[in-house]
Amino acid sequence: MTLDLAIGLGLETLLPHVHVGHQVGVINKAIDAEADVVILGSSRAMHSYDDRELTRVLGVRVHNAGLDGRGVLFSRGLLALISQRHAPKLVVLDVAYSDDDRSNAYAFAPYYGRSPIVDSLLTEGDWRERVKLVSRSFRMNGVALAILGNLFAESHEWGFAPISGRLEPTVRVDGHPARPLARPKPFVEENLLALVAEARSLGAELVFCESPSFGDPWPADVRALYERVAATSGIPYIRIPDEELPSFGPALFKDRGHLNQDGAVNDADATLLANAILGVYQLPDFPFTRLRESSPADQESDVALTRETVLRFTQPLATDQTIGADTLTAEALGRRWLSRTEL
């Protein structure tokens, strides 16, 4: 028991510092982003929405929290963890479905005990699951190596992951047979409705969005499920028409279901999505830009006067913003120090 506690607490201490990796890295980065607009979904979200470009176009902090192979349950749990740090104003839920949605919820095991919603997804009311999760080292099973291996890995703050590769030029958009029905289980709709209710309890608005595909839409019953929830809950359902993409064609897609880096990072594509969001939901007045974090941190000790100071804000500064010597200054021991500012 003592060894279990020691191992578990040690890994829990390291956990928040990991921002690289397929599961923990994505979750921590989404939590730390403190974004006002959060994009949730699967690989289609992860590889389609350039959150850096959307941040520039919308003028508010956007974060792409999509992850390969995830569905509604993962999005619901991630929103619960994100909102504990900062409640988003708008949640864009990309249409997603996974047959492994329930087992994928175990990605949240390291975060057990932090959110009643996450705890319920992990245990599903089964006392045996609660007993297993009492073990702190068990919660870290499967992520311990990822935590240790990625602890000092270099990361970036955005969630968008561009992918390379392209379809053959001869591939036709109408040459793909219709997908078979997915036959989603009842728990998928139940959790989708719960996600809607929980987002609204935070004061957030929602938008359902179906990202572009090259003749490979979601199965008809998956789309019908989202459309039904959207209609009964009064949520806008956006389908980005494929033909509206600039230079629409196979060169923009890695495969029929995913835009490649040429299709996803184009400025016009981000503007198209931003306009679609704004067309159905007017973003509210956001609070003034504030300081998110600094390096060195406040009250940090043993800091050399020659060390560079980095300030990160909650939103991008205007492109024409200037900061003069009288606007931002450095002081220590009651003296103003000679310094320069770089944007």
Side-chain angles (χ1 to χ4, degrees):
M1 182 65 73
T2 302
L3 180 60
D4 172 81
L5 184 62
I7 294 173
L9 287 176
L11 291 172
E12 285 179 16
T13 301
L14 299 176
L15 178 67
H17 302 287
V18 178
H19 294 87
V20 175
H22 191 64
Q23 293 184 3
V24 171
V26 169
I27 294 171
N28 285 345
K29 196 153 52 173
I31 293 171
D32 291 345
E34 297 186 17
D36 288 310
V37 179
V38 173
I39 300 171
L40 301 172
S42 64
S43 58
R44 288 198 178 186
M46 187 178 190
H47 304 310
S48 295
Y49 302 101
D50 187 343
D51 43 358
R52 183 199 295 265
E53 190 61 27
L54 285 167
T55 295
R56 182 190 67 80
V57 173
L58 289 173
V60 296
R61 182 65 166 91
V62 180
H63 186 75
N64 184 337
L67 183 59
D68 293 344
R70 278 13 184 214
V72 176
L73 269 71
F74 184 83
S75 295
R76 185 185 170 201
L78 186 52
L79 178 62
L81 292 175
I82 288 172
S83 62
Q84 288 186 324
R85 176 80 64 83
H86 176 78
K89 306 292 191 303
L90 175 64
V91 175
V92 179
L93 183 62
D94 190 70
V95 174
Y97 173 77
S98 171
D99 291 327
D100 300 320
D101 216 9
R102 274 196 161 131
S103 59
N104 284 337
Y106 244 86
F108 296 119
Y111 304 87
Y112 182 72
R114 302 190 186 186
S115 162
I117 295 171
V118 168
D119 293 355
S120 68
L121 293 177
L122 286 168
T123 63
E124 299 183 55
D126 188 337
W127 65 269
R128 291 166 295 187
E129 293 298 326
R130 289 196 294 270
V131 170
K132 286 191 291 186
L133 288 164
V134 168
S135 168
R136 291 182 180 270
S137 59
F138 176 83
R139 301 175 197 173
M140 300 296 170
N141 185 29
V143 300
L145 292 179
I147 291 174
L148 297 174
N150 294 316
L151 185 60
F152 300 106
E154 184 177 355
S155 65
H156 60 86
E157 61 183 307
W158 307 101
F160 168 64
I163 50 177
S164 58
R166 59 178 58 183
L167 290 170
E168 293 294 328
T170 55
V171 174
R172 294 173 46 196
V173 69
D174 59 351
H176 186 67
R179 277 201 188 193
L181 296 180
R183 307 189 189 284
K185 302 291 192 299
F187 76 84
V188 177
E189 185 166 355
E190 293 168 4
N191 278 275
L192 184 56
L193 288 167
L195 188 155
V196 170
E198 288 152 9
R200 286 180 167 166
S201 71
L202 299 170
E205 295 289 340
L206 292 100
V207 173
F208 291 172
C209 191
E210 190 173 333
S211 51
S213 66
F214 197 74
D216 183 32
W218 282 102
D221 51 353
V222 171
R223 176 181 288 163
L225 186 157
Y226 276 83
E227 289 178 335
R228 180 168 63 252
V229 172
T232 57
S233 304
I235 297 172
Y237 187 108
I238 301 172
R239 290 182 62 189
I240 306 295
D242 302 338
E243 63 273 11
E244 287 190 20
L245 281 172
S247 305
F248 174 75
L252 295 184
F253 291 83
K254 179 188 185 302
D255 51 45
R256 287 187 176 274
H258 299 89
L259 289 165
N260 61 26
Q261 57 189 359
D262 296 327
V265 302
N266 185 280
D267 291 0
D269 298 342
T271 302
L272 176 64
L273 176 60
N275 288 340
I277 293 173
L278 292 174
V280 296
Y281 173 66
Q282 185 61 47
L283 290 171
D285 293 331
F286 286 85
F288 291 118
T289 299
R290 63 188 187 280
L291 182 67
R292 181 194 301 162
E293 61 180 355
S294 66
S295 175
D298 186 30
Q299 305 298 320
E300 184 173 337
S301 59
D302 299 324
V303 178
L305 291 176
T306 55
R307 177 173 164 181
E308 178 185 57
T309 298
V310 179
L311 303 178
R312 292 185 175 89
F313 298 94
T314 55
Q315 300 179 41
L317 299 179
T319 55
D320 59 351
Q321 178 69 53
T322 59
I323 298 180
D326 294 329
T327 306
L328 182 64
T329 61
E331 295 183 1
L333 302 176
R335 290 181 53 194
R336 178 179 294 190
W337 293 87
L338 180 63
S339 59
R340 72 176 188 274
T341 304
E342 296 179 359
L343 283 176

